[in-house]
Amino acid sequence: MLVVKKFGGSSVADKERIFNVARRCIEDYEKGNDVVVVLSAMGKTTDGLIAKAHEINPNPPKRELDMLLVTGEQVSVALMAMAMSSLGVPAVSLNAAQVVMHTSSAYGSAKLKRIDAERIRHELESRRIVIVTGFQGINKYDDFTTLGRGGSDTTAVALAAALHADVCEIYTDVEGVYTADPRVVPNARKLAEVSYDEMLEFASLGAKVLHNRSVEMAKKYGVKLVVLSSLTRAEGTIVKEETKVERTLISGVAADASVARISVLGVENKPGITFRVFNLLAKNHINVDIIIQSVTEPGKKDISFTVAKTDLSDTMDLLRENRESLTAREIVSEEGVAKLSVIGAGMCSNPGVAAKMFEALYSADVNTEMIATSEIRITALIDERDVKRAMRAVHDAFDLAD
Ligand code: ADP
Ligand code: ASP
Ligand code: MG
């Protein structure tokens, strides 16, 4: 069997944890399996590197930032290979340039395009455990790139797909995927199984337990994905195409505070203006989520929408440069907001879900500013300070606890 095992930052945070991971990998290896290990940077290393960069330059060139960030993962893979070697097991660490993991050129948010599997296969044939840096790639200029925060999950799934692995195990600091973030909602329930589509909604709407592109890729290539704890032996959550568990209305609640709201105020209320706004954003590769339009005074309207906080300053610059052609009186932004979503493939045919969610928010005295729905989610934009209270209230209202 070929197994890809990915361990996140907290699972390799210190010497004890590194040896814990080394032993768990060696267990698999000693059963005769081929073992490929993907690691994140130790603990909060990536946050530390970003802070360091900003001390030197508040707006660091993206290429140089990636050059810095990739060092975090190289530390953990090298130390892991040393740990395994000290336990008497042959292991080799490889970075993205050595593998090679080819990505698009977008520094900071590169997409994996192709993986050369020969080197890894060769090392596996020599009966070595292969330890690969997560989160990083190489672009067409032979520069290092990174895949976006949390991107090591995607490295693992991509390797599992390229190597036709039997399973891709994502080890983290909780025991699987829960009905809500177990750190915010202590009585959240662990899901035995979750479908790719629901998991994709969870991941895209803020449940950072899996990087959303890793789920997309697992679905595309049919990779069997399991989320489990590196610290306990509890059974984890299986992510797969269809789940045999009886469909419940709602599978969970997620929150995302990494968004900001932008309002383009007082534009002319005539055909084509809305198109101009969103066409401008699309051409500049800026993703927009919740959108709302309202007529405020005769002949004028306001257009509001959310973007990722990391896109906020670029988006504001772009809109302000084009303020006149957009006929806008003013463009304003607000960072203290968060998206709160309920997710469930069973909700599309049930009109009661929205009412129940808003009743719960009302009872918890949480104001909703904007709302978006799809077949399998309802999202409300709320004040960032209300997130925890809102999440618990909605989780309770849908009886999601054990
Ligand atoms: P890693 O460093 O292992 O990649 P992450 O911090 O990226 O770990 O993801 C794990 C965290 O995701 C958990 O500690 C938990 O707080 C959070 N999380 C958010 N939503 C969920 C959820 N629905 N189920 C499980 N964990 C969740
Ligand atoms: N180390 C990277 C991050 O902190 C990648 C990851 O952990 O998946 O975002
Ligand atoms: Mg992660």
Side-chain angles (χ1 to χ4, degrees):
M1 211 164 83
L2 196 161
V3 189
V4 175
K5 300 166 93 71
K6 179 262 170 180
F7 296 86
S10 54
S11 301
V12 292
D14 55 30
K15 181 178 160 193
E16 280 68 42
R17 297 263 173 108
I18 287 178
F19 273 99
N20 167 59
V21 168
R23 285 195 197 91
R24 289 190 79 147
C25 295
I26 289 171
E27 253 175 56
D28 249 336
Y29 172 85
E30 287 180 341
K31 284 181 198 152
N33 295 326
D34 288 331
V35 180
V36 176
V37 183
V38 174
L39 298 183
S40 295
M42 292 168 69
K44 302 215 172 296
T45 299
T46 308
D47 292 338
L49 290 171
I50 292 172
K52 242 186 202 134
H54 286 107
E55 269 172 35
I56 299 285
N57 180 341
N59 197 7
K62 288 185 169 172
R63 177 191 181 278
E64 305 309 331
L65 186 60
D66 277 359
M67 188 71 173
L68 179 69
L69 295 190
V70 297
T71 61
E73 272 66 16
Q74 298 195 41
V75 171
S76 30
V77 295
L79 293 177
M80 185 60 69
M82 293 176 200
M84 289 179 181
S85 159
S86 80
L87 296 170
V89 173
V92 58
S93 64
L94 298 174
N95 70 13
Q98 291 167 310
V99 169
V100 179
M101 315 259 306
H102 301 273
T103 70
S104 65
S105 40
Y107 303 104
S109 57
K111 289 195 174 143
L112 277 168
K113 287 187 148 171
R114 186 166 53 85
I115 296 177
D116 299 338
E118 295 84 70
R119 173 78 190 264
I120 296 181
R121 286 202 185 284
H122 171 75
E123 301 289 355
L124 290 172
E125 275 158 23
S126 315
R127 278 306 282 155
R128 292 198 178 98
I129 295 182
V130 182
I131 309 160
V132 182
T133 47
F135 182 50
Q136 57 179 251
I138 293 291
N139 69 12
K140 64 181 175 197
Y141 309 111
D142 273 344
D143 282 342
F144 278 112
T145 53
T146 62
L147 310 180
R149 296 305 306 269
S152 297
D153 301 328
T154 301
T155 307
V157 173
L159 276 172
L163 296 164
H164 306 288
D166 295 275
V167 61
C168 180
E169 299 168 344
I170 307 285
Y171 290 86
T172 183
D173 55 2
V174 290
E175 291 185 346
V177 180
Y178 288 71
T179 49
D181 186 339
R183 295 184 198 287
V184 177
V185 183
N187 62 0
R189 182 169 45 85
K190 186 167 74 184
L191 301 167
E193 296 183 347
V194 61
S195 70
Y196 289 127
D197 287 335
E198 281 172 302
M199 191 63 233
L200 195 55
E201 292 287 330
F202 261 114
S204 309
L205 294 169
K208 66 171 182 165
V209 62
L210 284 177
H211 192 230
N212 62 353
R213 250 187 244 140
S214 74
V215 186
E216 254 169 41
M217 201 173 284
K219 179 180 159 83
K220 184 167 170 195
Y221 295 101
V223 173
K224 187 182 167 197
L225 202 56
V226 187
V227 180
L228 63 182
S229 164
S230 64
L231 299 168
T232 72
R233 299 275 168 172
E235 259 177 54
T237 300
I238 300 173
V239 188
K240 55 189 218 179
E241 189 61 54
E242 275 307 321
T243 58
K244 62 175 184 294
V245 183
E246 202 185 314
R247 273 260 150 270
T248 49
L249 198 56
I250 296 298
S251 35
V253 186
D256 183 357
S258 69
V259 296
R261 184 189 58 214
I262 294 179
S263 299
V264 183
L265 301 173
V267 300
E268 283 176 27
N269 190 6
K270 65 174 193 191
I273 297 292
T274 310
F275 164 72
R276 257 188 241 171
V277 171
F278 292 107
N279 190 44
L280 181 67
L281 300 178
K283 277 196 179 143
N284 288 278
H285 309 286
I286 293 164
N287 271 326
V288 170
D289 189 28
I290 312 179
I291 300 173
I292 201 165
Q293 286 201 124
S294 50
V295 176
T296 44
E297 54 187 289
K300 301 280 184 190
K301 65 184 173 184
D302 296 342
I303 304 172
S304 298
F305 51 88
T306 58
V307 296
K309 274 197 178 102
T310 47
D311 285 337
L312 179 60
S313 73
D314 286 354
T315 312
M316 288 300 281
D317 289 349
L318 188 66
L319 290 168
R320 286 188 170 138
E321 278 161 26
N322 290 276
R323 190 181 64 80
E324 276 177 25
S325 70
L326 300 175
T327 71
R329 184 183 69 241
E330 198 185 352
I331 296 156
V332 295
S333 67
E334 165 64 54
E335 288 194 67
V337 292
K339 292 195 288 188
L340 182 87
S341 308
V342 293
I343 296 148
M347 76 160 74
C348 53
S349 52
N350 196 309
V353 174
K356 200 173 209 170
M357 175 171 173
F358 296 121
E359 186 187 11
L361 292 174
Y362 166 62
S363 314
D365 199 24
V366 174
N367 188 36
T368 54
E369 298 178 18
M370 294 160 85
I371 296 157
T373 63
S374 81
E375 287 195 336
I376 57 175
R377 63 129 165 173
I378 301 175
T379 302
L381 197 72
I382 62 174
D383 189 312
E384 195 175 11
R385 289 168 299 193
D386 292 339
V387 165
K388 290 186 176 167
R389 190 157 39 98
M391 211 170 175
R392 290 177 196 135
V394 172
H395 194 266
D396 275 354
F398 286 100
D399 271 334
L400 293 172
D402 269 327

